[in-house]
Amino acid sequence: MSLSSNLETVLVVDFGSQFTQLIARRVREAGIYSEIIKHNNLYKLIRLKNVKGIIFSGGPFNVNNKLIKIKKKIYNLDIPILGICFGHQIISKSLGGKVKESKFREFGNALVKEKSKSILTKNFFNKKKTNNVWMSHADVVYKLPKDFKIIASSKNSKYAIIENTKKKIYGVQFHPEVSHTTKGLNIINNFVYSICKIKKNWSIKDQKKTLIKEIKKEVGNHKVLCALSGGVDSSVVAKLIHQSIKNNLICIFVNTGLLRKYEEIDVVNTFKKKFKINLIYVDAKKLFLSKLKNINDPEKKRKVIGNLFIKVFEKKSKLFKNIKYLAQGTLYPDLIESKSVTGSPTSKIKSHHNVGGLPKKMKFKLIEPLKYLFKDEVRKLGAELSLSKNVIFRHPFPGPGLAIRIPGNVTEEKVRILKEADYLFINHLKLNKLYDKIWQAYAALMPVKTVGVMGDNRTYEYMCLLRAITSEDGMTADFFNFDKKFLQSISNKIINNVKGINRVVLDVTSKPPSTIELE
Ligand code: XMP
């Protein structure tokens, strides 16, 4: 078992917190390489020479959960450890402290007060020796482990920050990784630089050079095929590989007819005309529409589109001889197993179709240059590669496209109507400087017609649904809070400009219980 890099690394041990990835991102933002591992792999990996620090994540468990065991030996290896929330509690319990269910749960903001100075809290407290932090815990440490000292306390957590400087072990009950904790990044910075003593080793600028070198070395004079969708991941992959091997990259762009308005034109203009990338454009609009005829079931729809995409792509790719590699825009979160910490697989909600998810039976070797990067790092890499803001900060778009935003039967007319409404909505968001505040927004066309009145005439037309959400990673989401003026103006704009729609509604559900897409 090994890590993916020889760089000095901070291991982030996942105990199932929704913030585990955020911790790893924060460490990288601080300029130090980090990788996420499962707790049961810790003992095997910790012996690697380049592991210079460990962070235990939070998690939904109780420290008495028998499935979570940490060998005591790891506390004696002279590698600095920082425990966050559950991580703090498990360190405390393992080393002789005590943890119990707290009478007073702490969720949300809390005030911590400094009790002693620590390297961990340099530049963390304000002049009044306090700080606002974000807590989310039901259990609490109530007896300090042996040889530990209190650094700070909150009203309900006496041991809110603790340390054992001799062993270089630290624990914080709150979450320094979330933005609601004031100066939380200082805790991360102090840990990696002053306690682990790692030198800055991670920047996307350097990473670009490393990746180009690695791609050149691996691919040599062979050819690489890439399915380009116009989304940020496949765009960055294409541009990165093109920068590495120039014309030995062949991109295939399939126009399914289910893309956003003008998307195919943008892709061709950017990649073929501007970047002079070898781009093959496949017009499959009619084919996709004909295969979707009378398919109402969401899962069946997704399968039809996914399989058809593969068929079209395979057929086109056969025209090119001697292609050895297939490029995919796999990201680090895709790689981190989707199994829960205790081993039970998470349930499948929808079968995802991804442009990158091409079949293994295609006899290509896979090249996945982004597989150790987070989405925000991919965006930074895109900027380093001179991709425009328009491409880099574009909202995510699902593989099955507009088809899953037209519940039920998809027809040419419905697609035409939806493209117009969606285009107006997205442009209106940009015009009102809201686009970048929203994680994803789209219009959908509901499969019902309702009665309206326009001028003196009765209308009987489709209903358009607007969805706009805020999110960290698409796993959970909240609906965006528009003001009435914005909603009024976009509703008018759509009704007045899109023939076929006479009613606009807003989706005000979060995820869960809803999903972001409708199907
Ligand atoms: P849901 O609807 O599952 O969506 O809450 C979460 C995020 O995933 C996107 N999505 C997809 N992306 N292929 C993709 O590449 C798919 O089949 C697919 N289905 C949903 C969705 O747009 C949202 O950002």
Side-chain angles (χ1 to χ4, degrees):
M1 192 170 264
S2 63
L3 293 173
S4 72
S5 166
N6 293 325
L7 296 172
E8 293 194 326
T9 300
V10 170
L11 292 185
V12 176
V13 182
D14 182 23
F15 290 107
S17 164
Q18 54 175 323
F19 301 124
T20 303
Q21 292 189 22
L22 191 57
I23 301 171
R25 276 167 53 197
R26 295 292 186 232
V27 174
R28 291 191 189 184
E29 276 166 30
I32 303 291
Y33 185 65
S34 69
E35 269 191 41
I36 296 173
I37 62 159
K38 287 202 185 315
H39 64 91
N40 39 5
N41 287 332
L42 175 61
Y43 200 64
K44 289 175 221 153
L45 291 167
I46 203 169
R47 295 147 189 272
L48 298 172
K49 269 210 319 269
N50 57 329
V51 174
K52 298 291 174 194
I54 299 167
I55 300 182
F56 285 175
S57 83
F61 304 104
N62 176 286
V63 285
N64 296 318
N65 188 314
K66 294 215 165 37
L67 291 168
I68 297 197
K69 282 195 200 107
I70 294 294
K71 291 190 185 177
K72 274 218 171 112
K73 289 179 200 163
I74 68 141
Y75 297 111
N76 295 319
L77 295 177
D78 202 35
I79 300 174
I81 302 177
L82 170 66
I84 295 176
C85 195
F86 172 84
H88 161 70
Q89 295 166 6
I90 199 150
I91 288 174
S92 301
K93 168 146 193 248
S94 309
L95 297 176
K98 287 193 175 151
V99 178
K100 66 174 179 189
E101 197 177 333
S102 175
K103 256 198 228 153
F104 306 98
R105 294 165 168 226
E106 282 181 298
F107 286 99
N109 277 321
L111 193 77
V112 285
K113 287 190 180 150
E114 186 177 34
K115 301 283 171 194
S116 310
K117 293 269 171 232
S118 164
I119 314 181
L120 187 71
T121 53
K122 197 175 139 203
N123 299 327
F124 179 66
F125 291 105
N126 57 29
K127 280 186 189 137
K128 291 182 184 155
K129 298 192 171 186
T130 62
N131 192 10
N132 280 314
V133 300
W134 197 79
M135 298 268 195
S136 175
H137 66 110
D139 292 350
V140 69
V141 177
Y142 71 96
K143 182 175 173 257
L144 199 62
K146 201 168 161 258
D147 302 325
F148 274 73
K149 183 169 141 192
I150 308 180
I151 303 303
S153 305
S154 72
K155 193 168 159 223
N156 295 320
S157 293
K158 186 172 173 192
Y159 307 114
I161 307 180
I162 61 171
E163 71 172 18
N164 176 335
T165 46
K166 208 165 146 215
K167 283 191 183 292
K168 299 183 200 139
I169 299 176
Y170 297 78
V172 293
Q173 180 55 71
F174 56 90
H175 288 268
E177 71 277 21
V178 305
S179 55
H180 315 290
T181 292
T182 311
K183 295 191 192 164
L185 288 191
N186 289 359
I187 297 261
I188 306 278
N189 271 301
N190 292 335
F191 179 69
V192 297
Y193 286 111
S194 306
I195 297 167
C196 303
K197 299 202 185 314
I198 310 177
K199 289 210 173 70
K200 192 171 187 320
N201 63 12
W202 183 255
S203 78
I204 285 301
K205 217 178 187 147
D206 293 344
Q207 201 47 28
K208 181 184 116 183
K209 288 184 205 146
T210 310
L211 287 172
I212 289 178
K213 229 196 253 155
E214 281 174 7
I215 294 168
K216 276 185 179 160
K217 190 169 160 216
E218 163 149 26
V219 173
N221 289 324
H222 293 284
K223 286 193 163 47
V224 177
L225 194 65
C226 175
L228 185 65
S229 72
V232 57
D233 305 341
S234 69
S235 298
V236 172
V237 166
K239 190 71 175 58
L240 181 71
I241 297 182
H242 184 250
Q243 205 133 318
S244 316
I245 61 166
K246 301 291 174 213
N247 289 339
N248 275 343
L249 170 73
I250 297 153
C251 290
I252 296 183
F253 171 71
V254 180
N255 183 0
T256 60
L258 304 167
L259 304 172
R260 287 165 285 196
K261 193 177 175 187
Y262 297 139
E263 195 151 17
E264 63 275 25
I265 299 172
D266 284 349
V267 169
V268 172
N269 280 345
T270 305
F271 291 90
K272 200 176 175 97
K273 298 203 173 136
K274 185 171 164 202
F275 295 138
K276 312 270 181 259
I277 289 179
N278 208 343
L279 176 78
I280 313 300
Y281 175 88
V282 187
D283 183 350
K285 296 198 287 279
K286 288 216 164 78
L287 183 65
F288 275 82
L289 263 182
S290 69
K291 297 283 180 199
L292 279 172
K293 203 170 170 192
N294 295 329
I295 295 188
N296 291 292
D297 178 69
E299 275 302 288
K300 208 164 164 204
K301 207 187 250 185
R302 282 173 168 274
K303 290 219 169 80
V304 166
I305 297 171
N307 292 339
L308 195 57
F309 184 89
I310 289 162
K311 242 176 151 172
V312 172
F313 186 84
E314 257 183 323
K315 195 171 157 202
K316 208 69 193 171
S317 71
K318 280 187 187 139
L319 298 177
F320 301 92
K321 302 279 175 262
N322 307 325
I323 292 181
K324 187 166 174 191
Y325 291 92
L326 178 71
Q328 291 206 151
T330 314
L331 304 192
Y332 193 37
D334 306 328
L335 207 73
I336 302 166
E337 271 188 273
S338 62
K339 277 187 174 179
S340 80
V341 185
T342 49
S344 71
T346 47
S347 66
K348 185 177 112 180
I349 310 226
K350 296 171 187 174
S351 57
H352 270 216
H353 154 64
N354 212 320
V355 162
L358 292 163
K360 292 194 179 70
K361 73 173 169 59
M362 291 177 83
K363 296 213 166 15
F364 297 119
K365 245 180 121 175
L366 277 186
I367 177 158
E368 300 173 293
L370 311 182
K371 71 178 174 188
Y372 291 109
L373 300 186
F374 288 109
K375 190 87 175 185
D376 43 349
E377 294 177 316
V378 170
R379 292 203 163 104
K380 283 185 195 149
L381 182 59
E384 289 293 329
L385 291 161
S386 323
L387 284 169
S388 72
K389 259 184 104 180
N390 225 352
V391 175
I392 298 170
F393 292 102
R394 188 165 237 197
H395 289 174
F397 188 65
L402 299 182
I404 58 172
R405 295 175 178 175
I406 302 174
N409 189 27
V410 178
T411 63
E412 195 175 350
E413 192 209 6
K414 286 183 185 168
V415 173
R416 178 195 61 77
I417 296 173
L418 178 55
K419 274 190 181 185
E420 293 301 324
D422 184 69
Y423 185 72
L424 291 178
F425 182 36
I426 297 299
N427 273 350
H428 208 57
L429 290 174
K430 289 182 179 165
L431 209 69
N432 286 277
K433 302 204 171 2
L434 292 174
Y435 186 81
D436 293 333
K437 294 186 180 150
I438 289 169
W439 197 81
Q440 190 172 10
Y442 65 84
L445 196 71
M446 305 314 282
V448 280
K449 287 190 173 181
T450 65
V451 173
V453 54
M454 282 192 201
D456 288 330
N457 295 321
R458 176 187 186 272
T459 57
Y460 186 56
E461 292 176 343
Y462 287 112
M463 180 194 281
C464 169
L465 173 140
L466 303 181
R467 182 130 170 88
I469 54 111
T470 54
S471 177
E472 272 279 339
D473 50 14
M475 301 296 285
T476 57
D478 198 0
F479 66 88
F480 186 79
N481 222 349
F482 291 112
D483 62 29
K484 185 170 175 188
K485 222 170 120 202
F486 176 88
L487 291 171
Q488 250 168 356
S489 58
I490 186 57
S491 165
N492 283 343
K493 210 168 190 174
I494 291 175
I495 302 282
N496 289 336
N497 291 287
V498 187
K499 214 166 157 236
I501 292 176
N502 69 351
R503 194 176 293 268
V504 176
V505 296
L506 180 70
D507 187 337
V508 290
T509 35
S510 57
K511 172 184 178 177
S514 288
T515 50
I516 296 174
E517 300 294 343
L518 298 189
E519 291 192 321

